């Protein structure tokens, strides 16, 4: 089909080709210089670039076999025709491909005949295709040695890019340039399918010669640290040049660290063969990103695909065939892929993985996110038939995150049931930050692919890039425009010292990229309050989404500076274990982890889940600190996510009844995801829940200067895996847990009834009052808890309304404590209003008192890891509380030093 977009591309290609050809034949110092000034997007990079020099630069000495020509305001060495002897493209020059450049005269399919040649390209060299009809072919039997380095990649691009000026600070997914030259075709002697008898061979697209043979171990050379930009040529619907086409390329070829950007057709296509590839990046393919056919049986690991909304024909992340003319042709396509991330565009892109026309595949440790049609599709009965065969389809340890996960046009069987029936597969919401894994990806169980095949690197994660830590981010330094220098987002003000000042209210999407610090000045609000009714947001009020990349530091300028997430808006804090998000005060490096507190205000998240305290209507309340309203009618409300997030030195005691905490969750709903969060040295409570239904896993609260975990106004959420350690330098330390239903009306509904499991509460040596204080009518189900070292007592129940909950027959109102170990000087409060607290506690299953044997981690000074006495207590199965809970068979937060989930991302606790 000829589209308007393709017509525009064809017109530009024709104009560029004719103009450049004319210029190369004329005065190189005048005609080409003129083109560099007046051509398509002159001096702009076509996408906001710096403009560069508008030419090829100087030429040191063109190698024998090339010719010096003008290129814009500079010069280059031109390569053309067929190379029948070896050629080295030396550093210091720019090279131009004029027309089809062929390395060697192809051999026969059995390797005989022809003239073999090798093209060597030195690190840092740029090779530019003159126009869409200019491309590079490595003939069957010949080879390429393009061995760049991380600091000096070899760049294949277009003359058009050089003439308009190379973009100095590119953002790859902002660019629309494509089809500016033909690309690269590598033809080899490895087997392909599609022939009835004899050694199978086929004609490459684009009149690029033949490929295929009988040597699976054939070598076509090396491509390492290579960029290929703006390539491809749609000659006809069935004859297309890709970014790179590997035809019958053998396993002796080395392919590693290759980035193909904005190809007009497929990014990389394998036509049969056995080639293996590692560290492949494909951005902005204007058809499929990774494509295979004709029986490819190679391997690929560390593959990153990102679609570009500026490429309107973007299609599949992976499109995979065995053979379109004969689905059962042999050898069958059976590649093995591991550690792949496929990311669809916001407006472009169809299917994440399309397996069809009889292909097999073994796919492990993969993330598929954001494709508009669906994440996974298997087409044709012949492909379905491969699912359980020796040459079949395996998909393991794979996460799908698309609006629709599975195609519904399956020819045979239930695709969803088949996918979820394989090991470690999941359909869940991705937490990718850019292309880096987030918490959801890094908590999926990975397959040990090295144990399957030693060719694969050892990895313990799914997806292509584990985190944005330099040790994990293998894309740094050599790729094009996917790790751009961060800039202060719109609405913030650069402070001139690598920071961005945030003030006021932000609506829409705002992303805090790693590499910059962000300073909160005063109350910073994400989104305008959209009201309590999720079904009828307030008119004229705009929501906001704050996305925070892993490793970002957000700094409060003073005690009056704090962050508020309004009702109807979201925070997406995407920290990882290796690169947590840190929310702290300015000059964090100069702060004292033991003594500093109340240096900034903290975080307030307001949601629309139900709270109590209102006589009629949808209940809402004003958050402390003038932080807006919270509460509503949606217990499934979603205020976003907090993953691997550390909040330090927060809190502000404005008055005795108006206090900012480390994190305040006001009416936050259960669809909000909170996992691996620490609050350290908060001036008031560490974490406080004001009603709502939010649930938290892997919570650490250290050094709170009031209560560590606090709830009121009918909180009905959950906590599992929580460590509380008090700090004697915080003189106002109070309770480990202080729990109310409602201080003004102990019987207000909905009743506070949270579910708690696997918690360790450690008091201070000189400060700290009560381990667990339940009062003012709260209910709770508490299991598998260790409470140690509190100076008043371990357990206290206050008010008759709270005692009345102990044996309540009304669902959702009772207090249960089981499998809990108390170790304080005094275990029980003596001011109980009704009944014998000790008798009640010891009468429940598996409760006990005694001396703890908690230990500190290696190198740490704070003891919170179970010892012999804690692990001797019979645990209650958390499944009794619900399916949200992880299975555990121990009490306390951390069973032993080998399972210390607090290590690597928290502060103070392990120091």
């Amino acid at each position: 089909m000829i589209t308007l977009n393709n017509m525009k591309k064809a017109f530009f290609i024709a104009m560029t080709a004719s103009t450049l050809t004319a210029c190369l034949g004329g005065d190189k110092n005048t005609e080409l210089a003129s083109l560099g000034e007046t051509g398509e997007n002159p001096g702009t990079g076509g996408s906001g670039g710096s403009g560069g020099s508008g030419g090829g630069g100087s030429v040191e000495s063109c190698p024998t076999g090339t010719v010096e020509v003008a290129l814009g305001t500079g010069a280059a060495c031109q390569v053309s025709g067929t190379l029948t002897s070896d050629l080295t493209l030396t550093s210091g020059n720019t090279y131009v491909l004029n027309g089809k450049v062929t390395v060697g005269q192809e051999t026969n399919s059995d390797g005989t005949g022809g003239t073999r040649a090798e093209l060597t390209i030195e690190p840092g060299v740029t090779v530019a295709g003159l126009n869409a009809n200019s491309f590079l072919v490595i003939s069957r039997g010949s080879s390429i040695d393009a061995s760049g380095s991380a600091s000096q990649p070899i760049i294949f691009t277009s003359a058009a890019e050089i003439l308009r000026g190379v973009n100095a600070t590119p953002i790859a997914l902002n660019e629309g340039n494509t089809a500016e030259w033909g690309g690269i075709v590598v033809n080899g002697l490895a087997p392909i399918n599609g022939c009835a008898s004899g050694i199978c061979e086929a004609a490459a697209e684009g009149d690029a010669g033949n490929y295929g043979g009988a040597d699976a171990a054939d070598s076509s050379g090396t491509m390492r640290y290579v960029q290929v930009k703006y390539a491809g040529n749609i000659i006809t619907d069935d004859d297309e040049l890709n970014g790179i086409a590997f035809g019958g390329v053998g396993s002796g070829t080395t392919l590693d660290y290759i980035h193909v950007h904005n190809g007009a057709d497929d990014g990389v296509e394998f036509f049969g063969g056995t080639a293996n590839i590692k560290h492949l990046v494909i951005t902005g393919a204007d058809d499929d990103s990774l494509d295979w056919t004709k029986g490819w049986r190679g391997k690929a690991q560390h593959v990153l695909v990102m679609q570009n909304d500026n490429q309107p024909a973007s299609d599949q992340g992976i499109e995979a065939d065995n053979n379109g003319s004969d689905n059962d042709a042999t050898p069958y396509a059976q590649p093995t892929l591991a550690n792949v991330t496929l990311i669809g565009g916001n407006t472009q892109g169809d299917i994440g993985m399309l397996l069809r026309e009889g292909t097999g595949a073994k796919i492990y440790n993969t993330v598929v996110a954001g494709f508009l049609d669906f994440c996974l599709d298997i087409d044709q009965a012949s492909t379905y038939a491969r699912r359980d065969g020796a040459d079949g389809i395996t998909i393991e340890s794979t996460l799908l995150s698309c609006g629709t996960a599975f195609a519904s046009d399956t020819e045979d069987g239930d695709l969803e049931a088949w996918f979820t029936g394989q090991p470690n597969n999941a359909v869940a919401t991705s937490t990718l930050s850019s292309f880096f894994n987030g918490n959801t990806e890094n908590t999926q169980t990975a397959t040990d692919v090295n144990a399957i095949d030693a060719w694969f690197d050892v990895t313990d994660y799914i997806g292509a890039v584990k985190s944005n830590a330099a040790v994990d981010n293998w894309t740094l330094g050599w790729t094009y425009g996917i790790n751009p220098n961060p800039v202060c987002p719109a609405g913030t003000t650069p402070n001139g010292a690598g920071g961005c000042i945030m003030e006021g209210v932000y609506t829409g999407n705002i992303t805090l990229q790693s590499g910059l610090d962000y300073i909160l000045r005063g109350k910073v609000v994400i989104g305008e309050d959209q009201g309590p009714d999720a079904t009828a947001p307030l008119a004229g009020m705009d929501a906001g989404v704050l996305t925070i990349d892993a490793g970002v530091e957000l700094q409060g300028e003073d005690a009056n500076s704090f962050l508020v997430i309004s009702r109807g808006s979201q925070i997406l804090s995407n920290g990882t274990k290796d690169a947590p998000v840190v929310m702290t005060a300015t000059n964090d490096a100069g702060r004292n982890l033991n003594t500093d507190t109340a240096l900034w205000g903290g975080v307030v998240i307001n949601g629309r889940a139900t709270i109590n305290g209102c006589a009629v209507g949808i209940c809402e309340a004003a958050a402390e600190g003038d932080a807006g309203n919270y509460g509503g009618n949606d217990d499934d409300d979603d205020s976003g996510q907090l993953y691997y997030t550390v909040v330090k030195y927060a809190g502000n005691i404005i008055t005795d009844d108006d206090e900012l905490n480390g994190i305040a969750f006001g009416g936050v709903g259960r669809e909000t995801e909170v996992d691996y969060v620490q609050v350290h040295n908060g001036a008031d409570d560490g974490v406080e829940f004001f009603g709502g239904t939010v649930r938290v896993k892997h919570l650490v609260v250290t050094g709170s200067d009031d209560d560590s975990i606090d709830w009121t106004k009918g909180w009905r959420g959950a906590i599992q895996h929580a460590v509380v350690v008090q700090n004697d330098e915080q003189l106002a330390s109070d309770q480990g847990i202080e729990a109310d239903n409602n201080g003004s009306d102990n019987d207000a509904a909905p009743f506070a009834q949270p579910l708690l499991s696997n918690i360790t509460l450690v008091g201070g040596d000189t400060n700290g009052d009560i381990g667990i204080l339940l009062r003012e009518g709260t209910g709770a189900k508490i299991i598998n808890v260790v409470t140690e070292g509190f100076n008043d007592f371990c357990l206290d129940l206050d008010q008759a309304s709270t005692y009345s909950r102990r044996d309540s027959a009304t669902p959702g109102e009772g207090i249960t404590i089981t499998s809990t170990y108390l170790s304080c000087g005094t275990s029980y409060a003596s001011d109980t209003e009704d009944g014998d607290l000790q008798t009640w506690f010891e009468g429940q299953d598996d409760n006990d008192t005694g001396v703890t044997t908690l230990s500190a981690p290696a190198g740490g000074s704070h003891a919170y890891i179970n010892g012999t006495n804690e692990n001797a207590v019979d645990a209650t199965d958390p499944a009794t509380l619900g399916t949200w809970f992880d299975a555990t068979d121990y009490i306390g937060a951390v069973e032993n030093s080998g399972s210390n989930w607090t290590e690597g991302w928290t502060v103070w606790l392990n120091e």
Side-chain angles (χ1 to χ4, degrees):
M1 176 182 293
I2 299 177
T3 65
L4 177 60
N5 184 68
N6 284 335
M7 290 174 66
K8 289 179 178 178
K9 290 179 185 176
F11 175 77
F12 168 63
I13 291 165
M15 291 298 293
T16 303
S18 61
T19 307
L20 280 169
T21 301
C23 289
L24 283 169
D27 186 324
K28 68 183 182 183
N29 295 316
T30 56
E31 294 181 47
L32 281 178
S34 174
L35 177 63
E37 294 167 0
T38 61
E40 176 87 353
N41 293 324
T44 66
S47 56
S50 65
S53 65
S58 62
V59 170
E60 292 185 357
S61 177
C62 287
T64 301
T66 71
V67 177
E68 183 177 344
V69 296
L71 181 58
T73 58
C77 301
Q78 179 178 283
V79 187
S80 59
T82 299
L83 307 179
T84 56
S85 60
D86 296 347
L87 174 64
T88 297
L89 305 186
T90 53
S91 61
N93 299 327
T94 295
Y95 297 85
V96 174
L97 303 176
N98 187 358
K100 179 173 68 174
V101 175
T102 305
V103 178
Q105 295 172 321
E106 70 177 41
T107 65
N108 299 315
S109 61
D110 62 2
T112 63
T115 303
R116 297 176 183 245
E118 181 171 63
L119 175 65
T120 300
I121 307 175
E122 294 185 345
V125 164
T126 295
V127 180
L130 188 60
N131 51 44
N133 296 314
S134 298
F135 59 106
L136 178 65
V137 178
I138 310 302
S139 290
R140 188 168 57 180
S142 291
S143 61
I144 181 173
D145 182 3
S147 298
S149 67
S151 60
Q152 290 187 295
I154 292 167
I155 299 173
F156 290 91
T157 186
S158 64
E161 184 196 24
I162 294 173
L163 291 173
R164 65 175 170 256
V166 175
N167 195 336
T169 57
I171 300 176
L173 300 187
N174 282 357
E175 295 186 341
N177 305 312
T178 191
E180 294 179 343
W181 69 290
I184 301 174
V185 179
V186 183
N187 294 327
L189 286 159
I192 65 172
N193 69 28
C195 303
S197 61
I199 300 175
C200 194
E201 61 180 339
E205 296 181 21
D207 188 27
N210 295 319
Y211 63 89
D215 184 3
D218 182 44
S219 174
S220 295
T222 297
M223 295 180 70
R224 197 166 192 268
Y225 289 112
V226 169
Q227 295 178 14
V228 179
K229 299 187 290 183
Y230 317 126
N233 185 354
I234 315 300
I235 302 165
T236 70
D237 287 346
D238 298 316
D239 191 7
E240 304 156 329
L241 288 171
N242 304 290
I244 309 178
F246 294 103
V249 174
S251 61
T253 309
T254 298
L255 304 173
D256 201 3
Y257 295 100
I258 295 174
H259 183 182
V260 180
H261 172 61
N262 274 22
D265 191 54
D266 300 330
V268 171
E269 185 162 6
F270 292 95
F271 295 85
T274 53
N276 305 321
I277 190 166
K278 282 182 179 175
H279 303 104
L280 172 64
V281 177
I282 303 173
T283 52
D286 209 26
D287 189 15
D288 308 312
S289 296
L290 177 60
D291 197 331
W292 70 77
T293 187
K294 294 188 76 68
W296 179 48
R297 285 157 296 114
K299 305 164 192 172
Q301 187 180 25
H302 313 300
V303 178
L304 171 62
V305 165
M306 291 189 287
Q307 292 189 326
N308 179 355
D309 286 329
N310 294 292
Q311 298 285 74
S314 295
D315 205 345
Q316 276 64 261
I318 291 175
E319 182 173 279
D321 308 337
N322 180 49
N323 188 300
S325 300
D326 179 2
N327 292 180
D328 296 315
T330 58
Y332 290 115
Q334 184 69 51
T336 303
L337 283 67
N339 297 102
V340 178
T341 296
L342 308 171
I343 302 172
N346 294 317
T347 60
Q348 307 295 331
D350 297 337
I351 304 170
M353 294 192 292
L354 172 59
L355 309 179
R356 65 180 192 177
E357 295 181 345
T359 192
K362 296 183 183 297
I363 300 172
Y364 304 99
N365 300 342
T366 293
V367 177
V368 185
F371 285 84
L372 299 177
D373 287 354
F374 20 78
C375 278
L376 178 63
D377 185 13
I378 297 180
D379 277 353
Q380 285 88 41
S382 58
T383 319
Y384 263 86
R386 304 266 181 262
R387 294 194 308 180
D388 302 313
D391 50 6
I393 300 173
T394 299
I395 302 179
E396 291 184 11
S397 300
T398 291
L399 173 69
L400 305 183
S401 180
C402 303
T404 303
F406 306 99
S408 59
D409 59 346
T410 54
E411 286 78 355
D412 180 15
D414 184 335
L415 182 57
E416 181 175 1
W418 173 80
F419 173 83
T420 56
Q422 295 187 82
N424 306 318
N425 287 342
V427 178
T429 301
S430 166
T431 55
L432 290 172
S433 178
S434 182
F435 55 85
F436 306 109
N437 282 0
N439 186 65
T440 299
E441 290 76 24
N442 282 337
T443 54
Q444 300 297 314
T445 300
T447 297
D448 183 357
V449 290
N450 179 261
I452 296 171
D453 187 327
W455 179 87
F456 289 93
D457 298 331
V458 175
T459 57
D460 60 358
Y461 57 90
I462 72 170
V465 185
K466 184 177 182 180
S467 79
N468 68 350
V471 68
D472 295 326
N473 186 7
W474 50 264
T475 73
L476 281 173
W478 64 276
T479 54
Y480 175 80
I482 63 171
N483 289 288
N485 293 326
V487 296
C488 288
T492 69
T493 304
N495 69 352
C500 310
I501 297 172
M502 302 178 66
E503 299 180 88
V505 179
Y506 292 87
T507 58
N509 296 324
I510 179 170
T511 297
L512 309 187
Q513 295 178 299
S514 61
L516 295 172
D517 292 329
Y518 300 85
I519 296 94
L520 301 175
R521 177 169 291 171
K523 179 172 65 174
V524 175
V525 182
I526 305 302
E528 298 168 321
D529 183 9
Q530 294 195 303
D533 189 347
T535 63
L538 295 177
M541 307 303 283
D542 295 324
V545 177
L546 173 65
T547 300
I548 309 176
D549 283 354
V552 162
E553 189 169 279
L554 187 62
Q555 303 171 351
E557 198 168 54
D558 53 35
N560 296 313
S561 299
F562 59 106
L563 178 66
V564 178
I565 311 301
S566 296
R567 288 184 295 192
S569 293
Q570 291 186 322
I571 180 172
L572 305 177
S573 181
N574 294 318
T576 64
K577 182 177 180 180
D578 298 323
V581 169
V582 176
M583 301 184 185
T584 183
T586 54
N587 188 30
D588 178 81
R591 304 302 182 182
N592 188 308
L593 281 167
N594 284 316
T595 60
D596 282 345
T597 188
L599 299 179
W600 68 292
V603 182
V604 178
I605 304 177
N606 294 326
R608 289 168 163 160
T610 53
I611 64 173
N612 68 29
C614 302
V616 295
I618 300 175
C619 194
E620 57 183 332
E624 296 181 20
D626 188 28
N629 293 328
Y630 64 88
N633 59 0
D634 183 7
D635 282 344
D636 291 324
D637 192 39
D638 185 356
S639 294
Q641 62 202 32
L642 296 174
Y643 292 134
Y644 284 106
T645 299
V646 178
V647 177
K648 297 190 283 185
Y649 317 128
N652 185 358
I653 313 302
I654 303 166
T655 70
D656 287 345
D657 298 316
D658 192 7
E659 303 157 329
L660 289 171
N661 304 289
I663 307 177
F665 294 96
V668 176
R670 65 172 63 94
E671 288 301 309
T672 308
E673 296 172 278
V674 183
D675 202 359
Y676 295 98
V677 171
Q678 179 183 19
V679 177
H680 176 65
N681 278 18
D684 190 53
D685 300 329
V687 173
E688 185 162 7
F689 301 94
F690 296 87
T693 53
V694 65
R695 302 177 291 198
V696 180
K697 281 183 178 173
H698 302 103
L699 173 66
V700 175
V701 183
T702 47
S704 288
D705 210 24
D706 189 13
D707 308 313
S708 296
I709 298 172
D710 196 333
W711 69 76
T712 187
K713 295 188 75 68
W715 178 50
R716 284 151 294 116
I719 298 175
Q720 187 180 26
H721 314 299
V723 172
V724 166
V725 180
Q726 292 188 327
N727 178 0
D728 284 328
E729 299 293 339
Q730 302 288 66
L731 303 182
S733 295
D734 205 345
Q735 275 65 259
I737 292 174
E738 181 175 280
D740 308 339
N741 179 50
N742 188 300
S744 301
D745 178 2
N746 292 180
D747 296 316
F751 290 111
Q753 184 70 43
L755 311 174
L756 283 68
S757 180
N758 297 102
I759 296 175
T760 297
L761 308 170
V762 179
D765 293 331
T766 59
N767 294 305
D769 298 338
I770 304 169
I772 303 173
L773 171 59
L774 307 180
R775 65 181 193 177
E776 295 180 345
T778 191
K781 291 188 177 181
I782 301 172
I783 67 173
N784 300 336
V785 173
V786 176
T787 304
E788 187 265 345
F790 287 85
N791 291 305
D792 288 353
F793 19 78
C794 277
L795 178 63
D796 185 14
L797 268 65
D798 278 353
Q799 284 88 41
S801 58
T802 316
Y803 262 85
S804 69
R805 304 269 181 257
R806 293 191 311 178
D807 303 310
S808 173
T810 303
E813 292 187 19
I815 298 175
T816 302
I817 302 177
T818 64
S819 298
T820 291
Y821 191 68
L822 306 182
S823 181
C824 301
T826 303
S827 295
Y828 312 101
S830 58
D831 59 347
T832 54
E833 285 79 355
D834 181 14
D836 182 337
L837 181 58
Q838 179 175 355
T839 299
W840 173 79
F841 175 80
E842 294 178 356
Q844 297 184 83
D845 291 342
D846 301 312
N847 288 338
D848 203 356
T849 60
V851 177
T852 61
T853 53
L854 295 173
S855 64
S861 58
H862 309 289
Y864 59 93
I865 299 173
N866 283 1
T868 302
N869 290 354
E870 291 76 31
N871 286 331
V873 177
D874 290 335
T876 298
D877 183 357
T880 60
L881 301 181
T883 58
W884 177 83
F885 288 85
D886 299 330
T888 59
D889 58 2
Y890 58 89
I891 72 168
V894 182
E895 181 181 15
N896 53 53
S897 59
S899 60
N900 185 8
W901 50 265
T902 73
E903 286 186 328
W905 63 279
T906 59
V907 299
W908 188 76
L909 197 63
N910 299 311
E911 299 172 6

